[in-house]
Amino acid sequence: MQTRIFLTALVAFIFLTACGDEDHQQAIDRCENLMTTLCEKSASTCTQSSYEDCATIFRQNLNCGAAIDTSNQYDRCISDINASSCPAFDALPASCANVIILG
């Protein structure tokens, strides 16, 4: 009986831990996608910006490795960046405010 309870608890722990890791990795991936979207758009529409410069500034200000979740505004933020004429990290659309949740 104790063995069965222990195994059930162990399986539940592994399942919950694995799901947490997936959520964390998804948040990191979405943060990096935000950087890519912003910097590609910025480099293609702003005369004074390169992708590398934008990515450097982004990484200095936001550690994607610390991302644990994204807000429900994430998709809108991406759409608004794509619709912007010259997006920049210090002038993101309002929908991007606190879109990456850090832990």
Side-chain angles (χ1 to χ4, degrees):
M1 180 70 169
Q2 289 179 337
T3 303
R4 186 179 300 174
I5 293 171
F6 173 76
L7 289 175
T8 302
L10 180 61
V11 169
F13 174 77
I14 291 170
F15 177 76
L16 292 173
T17 303
C19 290
D21 288 344
E22 280 183 28
D23 291 344
H24 177 67
Q25 187 58 53
Q26 181 181 14
I28 292 170
D29 292 346
R30 293 184 101 188
C31 180
E32 291 173 354
N33 181 62
L34 175 64
M35 179 190 70
T36 300
T37 302
L38 172 66
C39 294
E40 285 179 351
K41 179 70 175 184
S42 180
S44 69
T45 59
C46 304
T47 58
Q48 301 173 341
S49 181
S50 71
Y51 180 91
E52 294 77 18
D53 291 342
C54 173
T56 297
I57 292 168
F58 188 96
R59 288 183 184 117
Q60 288 172 346
N61 289 280
L62 186 61
N63 176 9
C64 285
I68 58 169
D69 203 356
T70 55
S71 77
N72 61 359
Q73 290 293 309
Y74 179 83
D75 291 331
R76 182 168 180 196
C77 169
I78 296 294
S79 294
D80 289 349
I81 288 171
N82 284 322
S84 297
S85 60
C86 182
F89 185 80
D90 61 348
L92 289 171
S95 60
C96 296
N98 301 313
V99 74
I100 304 297
I101 301 165
L102 304 176

